[in-house]
Amino acid sequence: MSATRTRKYTVLFFLALALWLVLVWALSELGMWQLRRAAEKQALMALYQARVEREPVTWRDLQADAASDARFRRVRIRGEYDVSRQFLLDNQVLGGEAGYHVLTPFLIDGGGPYILVNRGWIPLGASRAQIPALSEPRGTRELSGALERFPAVGLILKGAEIAGETWPSVVQVLDADRIGARLGKSVYALQFLLDAGVAEGYAREWRPLDLRPEKNKAYAFQWFSLAALTAGYAILWLVRGGARRKSEAAAEVENEKHV
């Protein structure tokens, strides 16, 4: 085999090997990422189960525990609704029927930001042009419920987070800063899911957190399988390439003997 061909084979060999290694590494990293996502979901579900089963704490106790993440915490709050300025979160479905979630600002005794109390689901009605009438519970009251993030959406259209001009105000996406600007007062970063036993709400079927980590594990298995298959092809290519080069070298030696 000539020196030129030897160098060519060597360069191609190392280029191909590098590509195989990068591909196997990338596929393996995707598998590891899916496993990390599954672990995160499992931890979040465990946190949810641990917190929703506890007795609610007072708002003051929650604020005193500043080091703790408040998500899923069950809380008792005392204060008054601002019933004159309620929000309707659009595109909410219950039992296959379209509707809204009713979120009413609540001012907790002792001051602080508004907290949006999610009082539950109401049907859309004849059309979106006809805004449903909402109940207006007045006076000081004590509520119990769980804290949760505002609903997330996959694709946010431009202006979806801007609430309507009239009251009740219809909004597509909840954003605490935008809602606070609309109310002229800061809003707590988590919504308050009103307990089902409280009479002044609407339909409430708060679903247990189910993030399905099994899906991520299945995706991880697929990525690892592709990585193993890619590595297998690489090994086969190396073996066959080595055998071919050995055969070619032997053939050249044999030809040289007959020259």
Side-chain angles (χ1 to χ4, degrees):
M1 183 181 294
S2 67
T4 302
R5 291 187 64 187
T6 300
R7 285 195 299 271
K8 180 181 177 182
Y9 275 119
T10 301
V11 170
L12 290 176
F13 170 79
F14 282 109
L15 280 176
L17 183 60
L19 288 173
W20 284 114
L21 289 175
V22 168
L23 185 57
V24 171
W25 171 83
L27 293 171
S28 300
E29 276 298 304
L30 286 170
M32 292 301 298
W33 177 73
Q34 289 291 349
L35 288 181
R36 288 193 294 270
R37 289 287 296 137
E40 290 170 2
K41 289 181 177 181
Q42 287 178 321
L44 194 60
M45 289 173 62
L47 178 66
Y48 171 83
Q49 291 296 334
R51 287 186 170 179
V52 297
E53 293 174 0
R54 296 177 185 171
E55 288 297 314
V57 300
T58 65
W59 182 256
R60 179 177 296 180
D61 289 341
L62 179 71
Q63 297 305 297
D65 188 12
S68 175
D69 179 9
R71 190 182 183 190
F72 309 135
R73 295 287 296 272
R74 297 195 65 237
V75 187
R76 289 192 305 274
I77 55 177
R78 180 180 174 83
E80 292 187 54
Y81 285 115
D82 183 351
V83 294
S84 64
R85 302 188 293 178
Q86 303 191 67
F87 295 90
L88 293 172
L89 180 61
D90 204 352
N91 303 315
Q92 304 302 306
V93 178
L94 182 66
E97 185 177 359
Y100 306 99
H101 275 181
V102 178
L103 292 113
T104 308
F106 192 87
L107 187 59
I108 299 172
D109 286 351
Y114 273 125
I115 187 168
L116 291 183
V117 176
N118 192 330
R119 296 201 285 144
W121 178 91
I122 56 172
L124 179 65
S127 72
R128 283 185 169 80
Q130 183 179 353
I131 303 299
L134 303 178
S135 66
E136 299 182 350
R138 299 180 183 273
T140 300
R141 60 222 318 109
E142 185 171 292
L143 309 176
S144 61
L147 298 173
E148 175 58 305
R149 294 176 180 173
F150 295 128
V153 295
L155 178 63
I156 300 178
L157 300 177
K158 185 177 180 180
E161 73 282 3
I162 299 175
E165 295 290 335
T166 58
W167 299 106
S169 181
V170 178
V171 64
Q172 307 289 324
V173 177
L174 287 174
D175 179 272
D177 293 334
R178 290 277 190 173
I179 297 296
R182 185 82 164 84
L183 295 171
K185 184 179 178 65
S186 62
V187 171
Y188 191 63
L190 301 175
Q191 64 174 324
F192 184 93
L193 303 179
L194 190 64
D195 279 347
V198 181
E200 59 205 31
Y202 298 96
R204 279 154 288 165
E205 295 183 7
W206 310 130
R207 296 179 180 179
L209 191 68
D210 183 9
L211 299 175
R212 302 187 183 279
E214 295 79 12
K215 290 179 64 176
N216 296 90
K217 293 179 180 178
Y219 291 145
F221 176 77
Q222 291 176 2
W223 288 122
F224 288 137
S225 298
L226 285 173
L229 187 62
T230 302
Y233 275 122
I235 292 171
L236 180 62
W237 177 80
L238 290 172
V239 171
R240 294 182 63 182
R244 184 174 62 252
R245 287 192 298 274
K246 185 176 180 180
S247 176
E248 289 174 353
E252 285 193 8
V253 170
E254 192 66 28
N255 289 335
E256 289 174 359
K257 289 181 179 179
H258 292 87
V259 174

